[in-house]
Structure formats: structure tokens, C-alpha cells
Amino acid sequence: MNAAPMKLGPHHAALLVVDVQKGFFVHDERSGPRSNPQGIDNVAQLIAAFRAARVPVVHIRHDSIEPNSPFRPELPGNAVMDEAREIDGEPVLRKTVNSAFIGTDLEQRLRSAGIDTVVICGATANHCVETTARMADNLGFAVVLAGDAVWAYGQTGPDGVRHSAQSVHAMTLANIAGEFGRVATASDIIAALVAPATIGA
């Protein structure tokens, strides 16, 4: 991960917390262990730090339309995990696809607030997080992916080969780094809230 110093100020950055919902407890049973068991703790640390620094926090929730999904709006799995619960004044945007920019007013909210940099954390790394990061970059936002504040599950490719959760997670970081944004640790991102340097690509 890129360890160069960054600065994330309240007037141009926002934290996007993507799909940190209880449905992943069901996913754990169906799909096996996550790549990053401490991911939710790092998400919670990011949220607390951004709040303390008065940098905006935006919560994204997935309202699945798939019949067997635990993330359907009427099911308990749609609820936010306790560690990532919003507080008064923090927007909660609901989507039905992978990208947090589709079917929501996220782009308009960010632009109207003068925000040009998004820090992204949440789940899953290779689905909604990666899709949101790619689209944010395509829309012209600077992207920072919190590489240890996301998680993935194992995936089977079209050739039948099974890829571990750790491999899927690592490939997501490789996909984003340098092409669609910057990858950093939660601790480096938190330090950047007060570090005397500007964010890099």
C-alpha cells in the first residue's frame, strides 16, 4: 500500500461507508470466511476519526432485489452493523445495484458540497466497493480505497478454479491501485486527516 503522506480536509473530502450490513453474517455462513476479519473494526475507526475531524461521512446501503438475498429491505440482513450505524445529520443513500452512484444522488451531493476526494470502505471489496471506486474515478473524483477496511469472499471462476477470499481481496487492491485511485491503510488515512501534505493519485 502507498505510504506517502496525504491530507484529507473537511472541505474537499468525504468518507463513503459501503454496504456494512448484517446480511454479511448470512454471507459468512454461505460463502466461508471473510478475507479480513478485522475489516469492520477498521471501518469503525475510520468513521470515528472522520467524525472527530468533521469530515463528512456518507452511508450507502444495499436494498437487494434478488429473491434469495439477505439484503432485501424487508429482511433483518438489510440493517446496518452496529459498528457502522449513522448518527444524526449523516446521509444514508440506498441503492439496488453495485455502484453507489447509480439510482442515488451521491454525485450531486458530493459536487454541491465541493467534495472532490472520496475515501471508500465497506463491502464487498470486489463488488460494490470496487464498482463504486471505479465509477468515482471515472466521474473525476480522487479515490482513496481503505485496503484494510474492506473484505471479500472466495470466488469460483468460469473455469471452475476456486480463488481464496484473500486472493480476491488482493486482486481488488491491485485493480484499483494506480489505475482508479490510491490504496492506503486505515491508519494512514486517519493520519492524513491532519498530515501536512496533499493527497496523491
Side-chain angles (χ1 to χ4, degrees):
M1 295 181 187
N2 194 327
M6 298 174 290
K7 182 178 180 181
L8 300 170
H11 303 300
H12 68 92
L15 177 67
L16 305 185
V17 184
V18 179
D19 299 356
V20 183
Q21 293 165 260
K22 293 182 178 180
F24 285 112
F25 299 142
V26 178
H27 222 341
D28 292 341
E29 297 176 0
R30 293 179 180 177
S31 303
R34 305 175 192 180
S35 61
N36 182 23
Q38 69 271 25
I40 183 59
D41 294 332
N42 291 332
V43 168
Q45 290 177 25
L46 283 170
I47 293 173
F50 274 66
R51 286 172 178 163
R54 302 185 185 279
V55 180
V57 178
V58 180
H59 301 266
I60 312 298
R61 304 275 161 72
H62 190 69
D63 287 350
S64 179
I65 58 175
E66 298 296 327
N68 297 319
S69 173
F71 298 94
R72 289 184 66 86
E74 70 273 16
L75 296 179
N78 186 267
V80 64
M81 292 184 187
D82 294 342
E83 296 90 338
R85 188 174 295 134
E86 70 278 3
I87 61 174
D88 288 346
E90 292 177 349
V92 178
L93 309 184
R94 295 189 171 271
K95 62 181 178 58
T96 59
V97 295
N98 298 111
S99 174
F101 290 94
I102 299 296
T104 73
D105 65 348
L106 177 58
E107 181 184 0
Q108 294 89 332
R109 283 176 179 269
L110 296 175
R111 296 202 190 283
S112 64
I115 291 168
D116 59 19
T117 300
V118 291
V119 177
I120 304 175
C121 64
T124 54
N126 56 310
H127 292 135
C128 296
V129 168
E130 184 170 346
T131 304
T132 297
R134 286 170 177 257
M135 190 164 184
D137 172 72
N138 287 172
L139 290 170
F141 295 98
V143 174
V144 182
L145 177 62
D148 60 353
V150 299
W151 63 85
Y153 295 91
Q155 298 283 316
T156 300
D159 56 1
V161 174
R162 183 70 176 174
H163 302 277
S164 71
Q166 290 75 17
S167 294
V168 174
H169 187 144
M171 184 54 65
T172 294
L173 304 190
N175 288 342
I176 295 301
E179 180 68 22
F180 296 100
R182 177 185 186 125
V183 177
T185 64
S187 61
D188 282 345
I189 291 167
I190 290 169
L193 292 170
V194 294
T198 57
I199 189 167

